[in-house]
Amino acid sequence: METDFLKGAIADLDEPKILQLLGELENSESSDLIIHDVIMSIQEGMSEVGNRFEKGDYFIAELVFAAEISNRVMAVLRPRIKKLDIPKKGKVVIGTAKGDIHDIGKNIVRDMLEATGFEIYDLGVNVPAVKFVDKIREVNPEIVGISGLLTLAIESAKSTIEAIKEAGLREHVKIIIGGNPMTKPIATLVGADEATRSAAEGVEICKKWVEG
Amino acid sequence: MEKNENAEQLLKERVLRLKTATELKEPDRVPIFFPTETWLASYTGYTVQEIIYDYNKMIKAIEKSIQEYRWDCVWGVGSIWPAQIFDAVGRLDYAASGSAFQVPDESYMTPEEYPELIADPYTFIVEKIMPRRCPELAKTFPRNAIALGKGASAFALFRSQMGAVARGWLQAFGIPLLVSGKTHPPFDMVSYCRGLKGLLLDTKRHPDLVKEACEALLPISIKYAMISHRVTPGGFSTVFVPPDAAILLSPSSFEKFYWPTFSKLMEAICEKDYNAFMMLEGNWEPYFDFLAQLPKGKIIAWMESTDMEKAKAVIGKTMCIAGDIPCALLGYGTEKEVIQYTRNLIDKMAPGGGFIVCSDKEMISHNDAKPENLLAVTKFVKEYGVYRK
């Protein structure tokens, strides 16, 4: 199988071609090596999608489509990945802050992170601080992502990070806040390590954190 | 309600100020207002629940802000949706968070249903979408009819009460109601049926159906504006248009899917000699060339995170620019910082006219502005924003 071809197809959001490749993958006894190459191709393809977004060639509609396509591919690959025991880039606990129910941005980041090789724990929307704290205790992630579209999410992100501090977990995690109101000064205000208004930039920040 | 002595004179001045700015000229000074939504609850010491269920509390809250700040207009009474309407039909948009009006992104139709939507959008929305969106309307007769009746009468009552209240403000305080009608561009209306995520995917998978669906919804989108807009004699009012989904599309997709019907909607509003207030959230710079083609001197473009100077340079000859003191600054900054920002904003934007000062976002949460910052910035604009002849 042409895995380079897959990388290009993901970057170009060529869904018919990707589905065809996926069909071939399902119907053949592909070796672990091929699966490994496929996963790498998806990661590189998604990275190119992020580049094109940063350059202004792609907009949110393209990110939503890329996330949808990678989701379909990952659904097929997930069982194989588990068996393969490919090392994960890291664990991310992600959710939309309490009081906010917007999740399109959070879901794009979630799917792009998964396609990039992260293990994701998605807590959903309107997530109370205690749910973040419990999940961090349970899975011990490297990264916590708090999303929000409304300005009220700023206060929720602040109280969530305070709760993480009180639980003695702040030193163990990097925290990124994401969404329209989440600017760098707001990151300082709420006690997060980083803030982004761009899904693609958010993924890059997470990659940098775990890759050092 | 305590009447302003010179209400009549104030009204004349305010209306002329807003009208002149909208017509891209210099008024006596830069107009100022703040789009206060559920922020009014914390400001008056109410809970959000109290003001969305009790119109009298909402009215009191708005009146308190009118008297304290003396801006050039009231934002709009329909921006705080009465919860009874939603309760009647079983929508949980308020209940979801308990803090602000939010609509979950869900799909209420499959892509296979586009032909049905396109053939007869009104019937499809009433008979298919509404029952799927509103659980009470999906119940068997007569419960669905009772729910619809309850919702419709709550809405009618709200509109008639608020209309009278707004006319009262006009006379007693000399303050016009800025937003007194609304509509949504056809592409956004399709998203309310198909879900935003679903619709964005459809632009890739079923482009022709999306285009046809927008065309099919255009007459409803125009009619929505015409039916909802009430022009108050002696006032200054606008039709509120939030082109929400536009900036999710690349400029080439925008041109294909959004612009054809959006431009026709805006032309229809302006042809009727109405003014429009467009809420342009996000960065609109990639779409400036389109906006510059809209009718001149009729539209106010409210900017959220667009470069204001560039906006003035490119679309400032077409539409009045409003914005963009950040709520983050109003809520977390000092008076000094807010005034510094506003001084710079007026220096860049005021020359030549066609500019209104307001915040970058609708104020929904208590942290969107400290009352003392609003007082300071209002006082500042009334002094510093005067055009010298």
Side-chain angles (χ1 to χ4, degrees), chain A residues 15 62 99 151 155 180, chain B residues 102 204-205 248 304 332 368:
Chain A
E15 193 179 34
E62 283 72 33
T151 46
E155 293 286 294
N180 190 43
Chain B
Q102 301 180 61
K204 306 291 178 189
R205 291 171 174 159
L248 307 180
E304 192 245 352
Y332 295 105
D368 286 337

Side-chain angles (χ1 to χ4, degrees), chain A:
Chain A
M1 169 179 289
E2 292 286 334
T3 50
D4 264 3
F5 187 67
L6 179 63
K7 176 190 157 186
I10 296 253
D12 294 340
L13 306 173
D14 190 340
E15 193 179 34
K17 269 196 190 125
I18 293 161
L19 293 183
Q20 192 196 328
L21 285 169
L22 205 60
E24 285 172 27
L25 206 65
E26 274 182 296
N27 296 329
S28 67
E29 293 283 309
S30 3
S31 69
D32 288 353
L33 194 67
I34 287 178
I35 295 292
H36 183 266
D37 283 353
V38 166
I39 289 162
M40 290 302 132
S41 300
I42 294 168
Q43 291 187 8
E44 286 165 24
M46 283 305 269
S47 181
E48 178 56 25
V49 168
N51 288 341
R52 290 184 191 183
F53 180 76
E54 289 298 308
K55 268 195 285 176
D57 297 336
Y58 280 178
F59 280 63
I60 300 284
E62 283 72 33
L63 291 190
V64 168
F65 196 38
E68 166 88 357
I69 293 172
S70 83
N71 233 335
R72 292 182 78 167
V73 178
M74 293 309 281
V76 173
L77 293 183
R78 248 178 236 124
R80 295 290 304 263
I81 295 174
K82 269 192 190 139
K83 269 188 248 161
L84 263 180
D85 204 28
I86 292 175
K88 288 283 175 188
K89 279 215 167 66
K91 292 178 189 163
V92 181
V93 168
I94 193 169
T96 302
K98 186 168 165 39
D100 200 329
I101 64 161
H102 292 88
D103 63 358
I104 292 184
K106 179 206 56 142
N107 293 347
I108 293 173
V109 173
R110 176 196 66 199
D111 295 342
M112 286 180 76
L113 282 173
E114 194 192 6
T116 310
F118 283 91
E119 198 171 333
I120 308 296
Y121 299 88
D122 181 5
L123 302 177
V125 298
N126 193 12
V127 181
V130 60
K131 256 181 98 177
F132 273 102
V133 170
D134 289 349
K135 203 62 178 178
I136 296 167
R137 269 217 189 90
E138 185 196 326
V139 305
N140 193 24
E142 284 83 359
I143 297 166
V144 176
I146 306 172
S147 171
L149 180 74
L150 303 178
T151 46
L152 59 86
I154 296 171
E155 293 286 294
S156 306
K158 195 167 171 227
S159 52
T160 302
I161 294 169
E162 272 158 20
I164 294 170
K165 266 186 208 153
E166 273 165 35
L169 300 166
R170 183 65 185 90
E171 305 306 312
H172 304 287
V173 291
K174 288 279 194 187
I175 300 179
I176 178 167
I177 52 172
N180 190 43
M182 307 305 190
T183 57
K184 309 282 176 197
I186 294 294
T188 312
L189 180 89
V190 303
D193 297 297
E194 272 286 4
T196 184
R197 301 173 72 193
S198 145
E201 188 194 47
V203 172
E204 284 309 307
I205 290 168
C206 292
K207 272 159 76 178
K208 265 188 209 133
W209 276 343
V210 293
E211 284 161 5

Side-chain angles (χ1 to χ4, degrees), chain B residues 21-214:
Chain B
T22 306
E23 287 168 357
L24 312 174
K25 292 178 291 198
E26 285 188 359
D28 60 339
R29 73 158 161 78
V30 175
I32 179 170
F33 81 98
F34 285 89
T36 52
E37 216 214 61
T38 37
W39 172 86
L40 285 165
S42 67
Y43 162 71
T44 9
Y46 294 131
T47 63
V48 171
Q49 295 294 322
E50 278 178 299
I51 67 161
I52 64 177
Y53 277 101
D54 187 338
Y55 302 162
N56 290 323
K57 286 184 176 156
M58 185 166 78
I59 293 165
K60 262 192 207 159
I62 295 174
E63 284 179 359
K64 185 179 172 211
S65 73
I66 291 175
Q67 284 173 310
E68 182 163 9
Y69 297 116
R70 296 171 185 267
W71 293 320
D72 289 311
C73 54
V74 181
W75 167 230
V77 283
S79 57
I80 303 169
W81 289 99
Q84 284 94 333
I85 301 169
F86 297 87
D87 288 351
V89 295
R91 287 287 296 181
L92 300 171
D93 298 330
Y94 265 121
S97 72
S99 49
F101 180 76
Q102 301 180 61
V103 183
D105 183 44
E106 280 166 37
S107 176
Y108 301 98
M109 62 177 274
T110 62
E112 287 71 36
E113 289 179 304
Y114 272 115
E116 218 180 315
L117 171 72
I118 291 160
D120 186 352
Y122 186 78
T123 305
F124 183 74
I125 288 171
V126 169
E127 289 183 2
K128 298 277 172 73
I129 300 295
M130 294 289 278
R132 292 174 191 169
R133 278 186 73 117
C134 312
E136 290 296 320
L137 301 185
K139 291 187 171 163
T140 50
F141 184 83
R143 292 174 72 188
N144 55 354
I146 292 168
L148 185 63
K150 261 168 74 181
S153 64
F155 185 62
L157 186 68
F158 173 75
R159 283 212 50 142
S160 63
Q161 278 187 351
M162 286 304 156
V165 167
R167 282 190 295 279
W169 289 334
L170 199 84
Q171 283 159 11
F173 303 125
I175 195 162
L177 185 70
L178 183 65
V179 168
S180 67
K182 79 180 288 192
T183 188
H184 298 271
F187 187 90
D188 293 282
M189 286 192 153
V190 179
S191 84
Y192 303 144
C193 301
R194 176 64 180 116
L196 193 48
K197 186 187 163 193
L199 178 57
L200 293 178
L201 295 177
D202 294 341
T203 62
K204 306 291 178 189
R205 291 171 174 159
H206 314 286
D208 292 337
L209 290 173
V210 172
K211 277 189 262 178
E212 284 177 53
C214 291

